C-alpha cells in the first residue's frame, strides 16, 4: 500500500493488533494512534512510552521465552481493548508526546540543559 494511503486505511480499522516480540519504536503503532486507533502490543522497547493502558491501548507482558503464558497475556489485552474500544483517546497521547510541537519543545528543553 502506498504510504499516502495509510491514513485512510488506519481510519477503517478499530484496533491495531501489534504482536511483534521485537521492535524498536514501532512507527506503525504511532501512525495508527495518530489516526485515533488504539493499539495492543507487548510491553517491550518503546511501546510502554506511548501505549498507555486504558488511554491509548493495552500492553501485554512478554516473558523471555515463547510460552502459552505470553499468548494468553496478549489475548487478554486484545479482549480488554475490544471491550473498552470507545474509551481510548490515542491521538491525544501522540499529540502530547510525538507531534511536531511536542518534539520541538522537548529538544528546546534538552538543549537548554546542555
Amino acid at each position: 500500500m502506498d504510504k499516502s494511503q495509510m491514513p485512510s486505511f488506519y481510519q477503517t480499522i478499530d484496533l491495531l493488533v501489534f504482536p511483534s516480540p521485537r521492535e524498536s519504536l514501532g512507527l506503525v503503532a504511532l501512525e495508527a494512534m495518530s489516526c485515533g486507533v488504539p493499539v495492543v502490543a507487548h510491553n517491550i522497547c518503546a511501546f510502554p512510552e506511548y501505549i498507555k493502558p486504558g488511554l491509548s491501548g493495552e500492553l501485554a507482558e512478554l516473558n523471555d521465552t515463547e510460552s502459552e503464558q505470553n499468548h494468553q497475556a496478549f489475548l487478554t489485552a486484545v479482549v480488554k481493548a475490544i471491550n473498552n474500544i470507545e474509551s481510548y483517546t490515542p491521538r491525544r497521547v501522540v499529540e502530547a508526546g510525538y507531534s511536531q510541537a511536542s518534539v520541538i519543545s522537548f529538544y528546546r528543553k534538552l538543549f537548554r540543559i546542555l
Side-chain angles (χ1 to χ4, degrees), residues 10-11 18 23 35 41-42 46 49 51 53 57 77 83 86 103 106:
Y10 289 129
Q11 292 169 354
F18 203 118
E23 191 64 41
C35 292
H42 290 290
E49 293 179 26
I51 298 175
N83 288 336
E86 297 298 323
V103 170
F106 170 80

Side-chain angles (χ1 to χ4, degrees), residues 58-77:
E58 299 297 333
L59 292 169
E61 291 292 321
L62 181 65
N63 297 319
D64 292 337
T65 61
E66 181 73 19
S67 70
E68 182 62 31
Q69 184 180 13
N70 288 340
H71 299 302
Q72 188 60 44
F74 198 84
L75 180 59
T76 298

Side-chain angles (χ1 to χ4, degrees), residues 13-27:
I13 63 175
D14 296 318
L15 179 69
L16 178 70
V17 177
F18 203 118
S20 176
R22 288 175 219 82
E23 191 64 41
S24 56
L25 178 63
L27 187 56

